[in-house]
Amino acid sequence: MSDWGRHTNVGYKKWKDTPVSAVTHRTGRDRLSSVSEGRCEDDEIYVHSVPTVLAQVEVEDGCQAVTPGCGRPSVDTFTVEDAVEVIGFGKFQWKLSMVTGMSWIADSMEMMILSILAPQLHCEWRLPSWQVALITSVVFIGMMLSSSLWGKVCDRYGRKTGLRLCMVWTLYYGFLSSFSPVYSWIIVLRGLMGFGIGGAPQSVTLYSEFLPVKSRATCIIATAVFWAIGAVFEVLLAILVMPSLGWRWLLALSTIPLWIFLASSFWLPESARFDVLTGNSEKALATLKRIASDNGAKLPKGKIVMHRQDDRGKITDLLAPEFRKTTLLLWVIWFANTFSYYGLVLLTTELFQAGDVCSVTNSKAKIEPSCSLECSYLTLDNYKDLLWTTLAEFPGLFFALWVVDRIGRRKSMALCFCMFSFSILPIYACIGRTALTVIIFTARAFITGGFQATIVYTPEVYPTATRAIGIGTSSGVARIGALLTPFVAQVLLRSSVYLTLSVYCACSLLGAVASMALPIETAGRALQESSHATTGQEPNSSSPEPAASQEGAVS
């Protein structure tokens, strides 16, 4: 056979000697369709009247291999994205949402327990206020330090592996902290627990990679219901356990969702997208067949296309030219979300205990008591207030579900940030407790909705090779906001209510501007695979697949 021309820059290789300009190259699901000025004759094709035997064309950008016979592909190919879309949403995704939802319940319970454990230990161990605050701070510090690490583990070794490992870590130190004999032990063990729970957002990475485009936003936002369920369950558990058994039993029993998750995690499959990225096409195909069987669907015919990439989970990839703007803006958005969300939670307690805004301004209510060791145990009314606060999450979830696909991810985030700012403006006036309750709940609903839109957008905008590290670093930056917001909501509030509210308004408006400045809208957009692809474009733009893509030898 004759060798063909030069190596081109669009993914062909092993073409020697004879230049060919007549072959039309297309990307994605398009096929090598024609050879101009040629005719078919057995195993030969004629290019500009030059007979050439075409044995095989090895294409590395997602197009299928071409074998002898009229220049037509002999075997169809499909990507994981194609398979997920054909299989659709069904029984498998329902089961997957239940399993990954347990990680959200565990995460929520560990966060909610902070508001219950701190006042209890303040009274029982006679701790000064700064030591009580440190119990909460070490958890967020642990989460901040570990979020990027767990993302790197998930990108390098698999989503299932990373998620199971972080949950084992959380279970071990969470359960062990119930045996803490002294204050120093509770600080160390709760910090280590926070280090583990920092990987919980990776359940979104795994879950999103099995969802078809039409269902992705709805399903990811719907999983936030598990967060609300976890918070409610923790409060109810505290009502039952704290009066008779105490905080140690509460810590131990709060690990129940972790036990359930780990027991059911043996059912979890590894992400098929991750498998093709690591070159394990057989395992990816087996996973897709399993999903198709559960959903009563059939896979596309042909061979699965691989997009192998070995340099995965690199933070530097997030700051590459095509991702730099998106990454920096997302860090601002995640920071603004957590800063505003947790700030509002803290403001709720401060303002409710003061009775109204004027009481905080005029009488400096909620000042540290003359004896720093004074304490009061949580009452049944306090637990009821916690339940009512948690219920404010549901309107936010419904609002996010309604707008995220209608107006897009970017506009949804910006709208929620703006509505949060407008919602808290009436607090500048001297309003009563009832009006204050309505306003705070409305504001919390909007900031919750914005947070959920952000969680939907983040895994969609990054390719499989950096998706977990992208979520991990964003979550780590978010914890910085959670660490800083108490100094505004509790410390600055005692000096000026108006300055405090202005800080939160400004921060949320900054988040709105960052949301609109994002260069890519991901609504209706397929998940990308390799980070070597041309990525920084709008979803409708046509760009070649990465040159590292290959066809798997599995049909």
Side-chain angles (χ1 to χ4, degrees):
M1 58 172 282
S2 298
D3 290 332
W4 286 28
R6 61 186 177 277
H7 186 289
T8 68
N9 62 355
V10 293
Y12 294 111
K13 71 179 183 179
K14 298 179 182 177
W15 294 62
K16 305 173 183 176
D17 301 331
T18 306
V20 178
S21 59
V23 177
T24 301
H25 176 261
R26 298 177 183 174
T27 60
R29 300 184 184 93
D30 293 339
R31 306 304 184 200
L32 188 63
S33 61
S34 65
V35 179
S36 63
E37 300 186 28
R39 63 183 180 83
C40 298
E41 184 175 310
D42 298 327
D43 291 344
E44 292 185 345
I45 60 173
Y46 287 77
V47 182
H48 297 295
S49 302
V50 179
T52 304
V53 178
L54 181 62
Q56 181 177 2
V57 178
E58 185 174 350
V59 183
E60 290 194 322
D61 64 345
C63 296
Q64 65 186 61
V66 178
T67 55
C70 297
R72 291 193 305 269
S74 61
V75 181
D76 288 333
T77 61
F78 64 91
T79 63
V80 176
E81 181 75 22
D82 296 332
V84 170
E85 292 299 320
V86 170
I87 294 171
F89 187 91
K91 181 180 178 181
F92 172 84
Q93 281 80 9
W94 279 111
K95 292 190 292 186
L96 183 63
S97 63
M98 294 295 109
V99 177
T100 55
M102 294 308 299
S103 66
W104 278 111
I105 290 177
D107 187 4
S108 176
M109 291 180 68
E110 293 296 345
M111 292 298 99
M112 180 58 70
I113 205 173
L114 295 175
S115 61
I116 299 171
L117 181 64
Q120 185 71 22
L121 292 182
H122 178 47
C123 293
E124 188 170 323
W125 286 356
R126 312 300 293 174
L127 300 175
S129 295
W130 69 270
Q131 288 186 335
V132 175
L134 190 58
I135 296 174
T136 299
S137 297
V138 294
V139 175
F140 286 113
I141 291 173
M143 297 171 74
M144 180 184 66
L145 294 175
S146 69
S147 295
S148 297
L149 176 62
W150 290 122
K152 188 175 182 67
V153 169
C154 289
D155 276 334
R156 291 293 300 173
Y157 304 105
R159 284 73 164 107
K160 176 182 177 180
T161 301
L163 187 58
R164 289 180 66 184
L165 184 59
C166 80
M167 288 300 157
V168 169
W169 182 293
T170 304
L171 172 61
Y172 179 76
Y173 288 107
F175 187 79
L176 202 60
S177 63
S178 65
F179 298 96
S180 301
V182 293
Y183 174 78
S184 58
W185 275 100
I186 198 73
I187 288 294
V188 172
L189 293 175
R190 294 308 289 176
L192 289 171
M193 186 283 303
F195 190 91
I197 206 67
Q202 297 304 330
S203 61
V204 177
T205 307
L206 178 64
Y207 187 49
S208 65
E209 292 182 344
F210 286 110
L211 295 173
V213 173
K214 290 183 179 180
S215 305
R216 191 182 302 135
T218 301
C219 292
I220 293 177
I221 294 174
T223 57
V225 173
F226 290 102
W227 176 278
I229 292 173
V232 171
F233 183 70
E234 184 64 33
V235 175
L236 294 176
L237 187 63
I239 293 174
L240 295 174
V241 171
M242 291 295 286
S244 56
L245 299 176
W247 62 270
R248 297 182 187 275
W249 275 94
L250 181 64
L251 287 178
L253 293 175
S254 295
T255 62
I256 290 176
L258 292 168
W259 288 106
I260 297 175
F261 172 82
L262 291 174
S264 57
S265 66
F266 293 98
W267 170 86
L268 277 177
E270 182 54 83
S271 168
R273 296 178 189 271
F274 176 82
D275 284 333
V276 297
L277 203 67
T278 57
N280 199 341
S281 59
E282 293 184 2
K283 186 177 178 182
L285 190 63
T287 299
L288 294 173
K289 287 180 177 178
R290 170 185 168 187
I291 300 172
S293 177
D294 279 356
N295 289 4
K298 292 183 178 181
L299 285 177
K301 294 181 179 181
K303 296 181 179 181
I304 191 169
V305 177
M306 292 193 300
H307 299 261
R308 181 163 185 168
Q309 182 177 338
D310 294 327
D311 53 336
R312 305 180 305 275
K314 296 167 60 178
I315 295 181
T316 54
D317 285 344
L318 301 179
L319 299 176
E322 63 267 29
F323 286 121
R324 186 182 298 120
K325 182 178 180 180
T326 297
T327 297
L328 295 177
L329 289 173
L330 274 177
W331 287 353
V332 172
I333 293 168
W334 278 75
F335 177 92
N337 265 310
T338 54
F339 184 83
S340 302
Y341 177 86
Y342 287 109
L344 187 64
V345 172
L346 295 175
L347 279 176
T348 301
T349 303
E350 298 288 330
L351 296 176
F352 278 1
Q353 288 185 343
D356 56 55
V357 177
C358 291
S359 298
V360 180
T361 305
N362 298 329
S363 63
K364 306 298 183 186
K366 192 54 183 174
I367 299 177
E368 186 72 21
S370 57
C371 175
S372 63
L373 298 183
E374 285 187 22
C375 68
S376 57
Y377 289 94
L378 292 177
T379 64
L380 183 61
D381 288 337
N382 296 136
Y383 289 124
K384 289 180 180 179
D385 289 339
L386 287 175
L387 280 175
W388 279 112
T389 303
T390 302
L391 292 176
E393 305 274 337
F394 291 98
L397 298 179
F398 295 143
F399 181 77
L401 282 172
W402 185 66
V403 301
V404 74
D405 279 326
R406 284 177 170 81
I407 65 175
R409 281 51 160 158
R410 293 181 298 184
K411 291 181 180 178
S412 296
M413 290 185 281
L415 177 62
C416 288
F417 275 126
C418 290
M419 293 305 297
F420 171 81
S421 296
F422 295 150
S423 296
I424 63 176
L425 287 179
I427 303 180
Y428 280 90
C430 291
I431 56 177
R433 185 183 180 94
T434 301
L436 183 64
T437 302
V438 174
I439 289 170
I440 289 178
F441 276 31
T442 302
R444 182 163 177 176
F446 282 118
I447 197 63
T448 298
F451 213 155
Q452 295 310 312
T454 305
I455 292 175
V456 171
Y457 180 88
T458 306
E460 289 182 334
V461 78
Y462 289 115
T464 302
T466 55
R467 187 167 295 127
I469 192 70
I471 292 178
T473 54
S474 298
S475 179
V477 172
R479 306 306 171 183
I480 299 176
L483 280 171
L484 294 179
T485 198
F487 295 98
V488 177
Q490 294 176 322
V491 179
L492 184 60
L493 181 71
R494 299 175 188 176
S495 300
S496 172
V497 174
Y498 307 116
L499 181 58
T500 300
L501 294 175
S502 298
V503 169
Y504 286 111
C505 281
C507 184
S508 59
L509 290 177
L510 178 62
V513 172
S515 300
M516 293 306 298
L518 287 168
I520 301 172
E521 173 56 65
T522 62
R525 186 173 186 253
L527 295 182
Q528 300 177 71
E529 302 301 339
S530 172
S531 60
H532 292 160
T534 303
T535 49
Q537 303 179 13
E538 293 297 332
N540 292 333
S541 61
S542 176
S543 59
E545 295 288 337
S549 304
Q550 300 175 6
E551 279 188 12
V554 182
S555 59

